[in-house]
Amino acid sequence: MNAIDEVGIWELSFRVILIYLLLLLSMRIMGKREIGQLSNLDFVVAITVAELATLPVTDRRLSLANSIMPMLIITAMQVLASLICLKSNRFRRFLYGKSNLLIADGKLQMEEMRKARYNIDDLLSQLRQKDVFDVADVAYAVLETSGELTVLLKQDKMPVTRGDRQISVQEQFKGMPLTLIDDGEVNVKG
């Protein structure tokens, strides 16, 4: 291995480590969400930032500063948009859309389904995933902005709870459970 290859390996390693740390920081700054809860916009931003992160690793002719700057700008814009969404319902609806009521009192809301470009097969599939096999059993079904379906069953179709049967329940927990030993170490901080 000659000196040029060795320098290239060290430079590539530095770029990969730097981009990895920048991606971690960027995702941390943008906030905590599960993948299934990402809006379309959040998903596109995450993919775009990840795609931009590959450029300085795959093409060493690109300067690190010119490669990192677009990632930082997109991250900053996403954080700014999130902050504006916290303050403005109108901006949030513009950016993320609004939820759609697809079933009301056991009846399909065809106009709302058209607005959401949501077909009956998708609706029935998501209902089955929630163990609902009859649309008539549903009081309300709402298509959330994340694409997830929230379902409220009619009162007579809801599962019976201990409260319904007036069975008293002893208080089981007095606070949050605590991990006493973590990776072989005693957790003294609580």
Side-chain angles (χ1 to χ4, degrees), residues 97-115:
K98 65 179 190 80
S99 57
N100 299 87
L101 181 65
L102 301 182
I103 300 174
D105 196 29
K107 294 179 182 73
L108 296 175
Q109 305 299 303
M110 299 308 288
E111 183 60 32
E112 282 296 307
M113 290 181 67
R114 272 191 285 284
K115 285 181 188 175

Side-chain angles (χ1 to χ4, degrees), residues 4 6 14-16 21 25 27 34-35 55 59 65 69 76-77 87 93 101 110 119-121 137 157 164 178 187 190:
I4 295 173
E6 195 172 306
F14 173 74
R15 285 174 175 246
V16 168
L21 293 173
L25 180 65
M27 293 300 132
E34 291 181 34
I35 295 297
L55 294 176
D59 188 355
M69 189 56 67
M77 288 177 62
K87 302 289 184 187
R93 277 193 304 274
L101 181 65
M110 299 308 288
N119 66 53
I120 292 174
D121 291 333
D137 294 346
K157 299 298 180 178
D164 294 333
L178 173 66
N187 182 1

Side-chain angles (χ1 to χ4, degrees), residues 82-94:
S82 295
L83 291 173
I84 295 171
C85 281
L86 287 174
K87 302 289 184 187
S88 170
N89 287 333
R90 180 177 282 162
F91 185 74
R92 183 172 46 251
R93 277 193 304 274
F94 168 75

